[in-house]
Amino acid sequence: MDEPTISPIEVDENELQERLSPEQFEVTRRAGTERAFTGTYWDTKTPGLYRCVVCDLELFRSDTKYDSGSGWPSFWEPISPDRVTLHTDSSYGMIRTEARCARCDSHLGHVFPDGPRPTGERYCMNSASLELDPDES
Ligand code: FE
């Protein structure tokens, strides 16, 4: 079966500013970064689905989350490659790969090539961009 295609949506930032916390808004819509070891999910091990806090798209599963030691929630892959778009980010004098939600274009974090097997990638995300939907127990 083919992966469903993600259709981009427009985001109303005025509505969003009322719904999100200031930090969630700054991270998702202004490509901010939460301080390490301060976010809601950096050390979370609860089984479930991590969704985009802005548009609810399922982005990551807890079984691909691992302890990277970075202080940010880290995953070795998204639920499917079409969930996240990758962009070159040359801010702060570094060349990094920015990850954004494929549906609402919100900033999620960055991807680094120092992750564990099987992908060798580290999706270094901001808790502020995510919402955990815990599995039913
Ligand atoms: Fe989104």
Side-chain angles (χ1 to χ4, degrees):
M1 203 174 86
D2 288 342
E3 290 292 340
T5 306
I6 307 297
S7 303
I9 60 168
E10 291 286 324
V11 168
D12 179 344
E13 290 202 339
N14 291 323
E15 178 272 329
L16 206 58
Q17 209 152 13
E18 291 184 17
R19 180 161 66 85
L20 299 185
S21 73
E23 183 175 53
Q24 287 172 325
F25 187 86
E26 177 65 23
V27 170
T28 57
R29 305 310 299 183
R30 301 291 179 264
T33 301
E34 71 200 15
R35 290 182 57 202
F37 303 102
T38 66
T40 309
Y41 300 127
W42 73 270
D43 198 27
T44 301
K45 295 174 178 71
T46 309
L49 277 177
Y50 287 86
R51 297 173 179 272
C52 172
V53 73
V54 172
C55 77
D56 234 26
L57 182 67
E58 300 99 332
L59 297 174
F60 298 97
R61 280 187 214 289
S62 56
D63 58 7
T64 64
K65 190 175 189 286
Y66 72 102
D67 181 7
S68 66
S70 67
W72 290 283
S74 302
F75 305 83
W76 67 73
E77 66 184 359
I79 284 178
S80 58
D82 65 347
R83 301 306 167 101
V84 171
T85 59
L86 302 177
H87 310 263
T88 299
D89 173 7
S90 50
S91 64
Y92 300 102
M94 296 176 270
I95 306 291
R96 294 178 294 171
T97 302
E98 179 194 7
R100 292 188 211 147
C101 173
R103 186 153 70 186
C104 72
D105 208 39
S106 289
H107 176 76
L108 302 172
H110 291 89
V111 186
F112 300 96
D114 58 9
R117 291 194 222 180
T119 63
E121 294 192 311
R122 169 169 56 109
Y123 283 76
C124 187
M125 302 290 99
N126 288 277
S127 299
S129 302
L130 303 174
E131 175 106 60
L132 174 59
D133 194 354
D135 290 341
E136 312 270 332
S137 52

